Amino acid sequence: MMRYIKLVNFEINRFSKIYLSLLLITLVSQFAGVIIVTKSLLNDARDIMKEERLSEAAYITNYGGIDFNHIANSLLFVGPIALSAVALIFYIFLIWYRDWFGKNTFIYRLLMLPTSRLSIYLSKATSIFLMVLGLIAFQIIILPMENALFNSNVPQVLLNEMSISTITIANPILSLIIPSTFTQFLLSYGIGLMIMSILFTAIMFERSFRIKGIIMGLLYCGIAAVLFLAPVLMEIGNFYFYPNELFGLLLAIGIILTGLSVWLGAWLLKNRVTV
């Protein structure tokens, strides 16, 4: 167990500089977005009131107030979230291929450690999942601060004040990464874990069989996608499921695919990937 924890810590440390950069970019960009977009919205509102000779009350009646949705939908706000997501998806591949194609071919030393290769596999998966949760936790921490800054910069008469839960529900990206219910959490992050395990297995196919492995990996990804989406495709074909039934089917298929992918990927790493 201690070796597994040390491997997780090792993998996180290898990505720590890029990870901290993502956190810093998110912090600076989103707070800058709050200030810049708020100023722009207020300038636009003042210009309209001046041109149309409207009072603040008349402006509210005609155009509505200013709320945090304007910030949450801006590029400065959602851009860092998208950048972090792309970086972590890219790292799913980098976390393996860096060891093979790095300067010192580190995978040879890694695979010869006196520990189970399953621990190596799980440590890489765990480190990525922990970094995802870390980014989400960071967003949850700074979102109330951003909302407070926005509320303090907008005149009360023009402000449509929103709670944090309302903001997350109203914004599609925030509602995806910060689920409002446990069921949505299971779906969002369970699907994420499943996709990561499937991609890990595809990488193991490629590392085990090279050119043939690429084809095998792509086929495995395609079959897994079809199996997971089968209940949804059946609904499109007029085969009706109740919401609880659909959720149960997706959850069961997701657990089976994740377990199968972890087992198959670990088996390939142990029996087919050689040093």
Side-chain angles (χ1 to χ4, degrees), residues 42-261:
L42 291 175
N43 288 338
D44 290 343
R46 292 189 186 103
D47 289 342
I48 291 173
M49 285 187 283
K50 184 177 180 180
E51 290 174 5
E52 300 183 13
R53 298 180 181 179
L54 299 175
S55 64
E56 290 177 335
Y59 176 85
I60 292 293
T61 302
N62 292 342
Y63 295 97
I66 300 173
D67 57 51
F68 195 83
N69 270 335
H70 295 92
I71 308 295
N73 291 322
S74 68
L75 181 61
L76 285 170
F77 190 91
V78 300
I81 298 175
L83 176 64
S84 298
V86 171
L88 288 174
I89 291 171
F90 176 72
Y91 194 62
I92 290 176
F93 297 91
L94 181 64
I95 200 171
W96 287 107
Y97 286 111
R98 175 181 55 186
D99 292 339
W100 262 282
F101 300 114
K103 189 174 181 180
N104 298 315
T105 319
F106 185 75
I107 192 65
Y108 296 149
R109 295 164 57 192
L110 193 61
L111 293 179
M112 294 185 72
L113 288 174
T115 186
S116 167
R117 291 191 179 182
L118 177 61
S119 296
I120 297 171
Y121 181 99
L122 292 178
S123 68
K124 291 181 182 293
T126 302
S127 65
I128 292 175
F129 190 64
L130 288 176
M131 285 186 281
V132 170
L133 293 181
L135 285 168
I136 302 310
F138 185 71
Q139 183 66 73
I140 292 173
I141 290 170
I142 65 173
L143 186 58
M145 302 178 192
E146 294 163 348
N147 191 36
L149 177 62
F150 171 78
N151 292 341
S152 67
N153 285 338
V154 178
Q156 194 66 35
V157 68
L158 296 177
L159 176 64
N160 283 340
E161 194 167 346
M162 300 175 69
S163 66
I164 299 301
S165 60
T166 304
I167 292 170
T168 55
I169 291 171
N171 185 273
I173 295 178
L174 289 177
S175 65
L176 178 64
I177 66 173
I178 308 176
S180 59
T181 66
F182 183 66
T183 299
Q184 290 177 338
F185 175 84
L186 286 179
L187 277 176
S188 295
Y189 291 96
I191 290 173
L193 273 175
M194 179 190 69
I195 292 173
M196 180 176 66
S197 65
I198 290 170
L199 291 176
F200 269 22
T201 302
I203 292 169
M204 290 302 101
F205 271 121
E206 189 278 327
R207 287 290 84 197
S208 300
F209 303 103
R210 299 304 190 267
I211 299 299
K212 292 181 181 178
I214 296 175
I215 299 173
M216 295 169 70
L218 291 174
L219 284 174
Y220 182 78
C221 291
I223 292 170
V226 170
L227 288 175
F228 182 73
L229 294 175
V232 179
L233 297 174
M234 290 172 68
E235 278 216 323
I236 295 175
N238 296 323
F239 192 96
Y240 181 76
F241 291 106
Y242 289 105
N244 288 340
E245 292 176 335
L246 182 61
F247 171 74
L249 280 172
L250 291 175
L251 182 62
I253 295 172
I255 291 173
I256 292 171
L257 286 175
T258 301
L260 176 64
S261 297

Side-chain angles (χ1 to χ4, degrees), residues 7-20:
L7 284 170
V8 172
N9 182 63
F10 172 74
E11 292 293 349
I12 291 175
N13 286 337
R14 295 174 81 189
F15 193 63
S16 60
K17 291 182 180 179
I18 298 175
Y19 188 68
L20 291 174

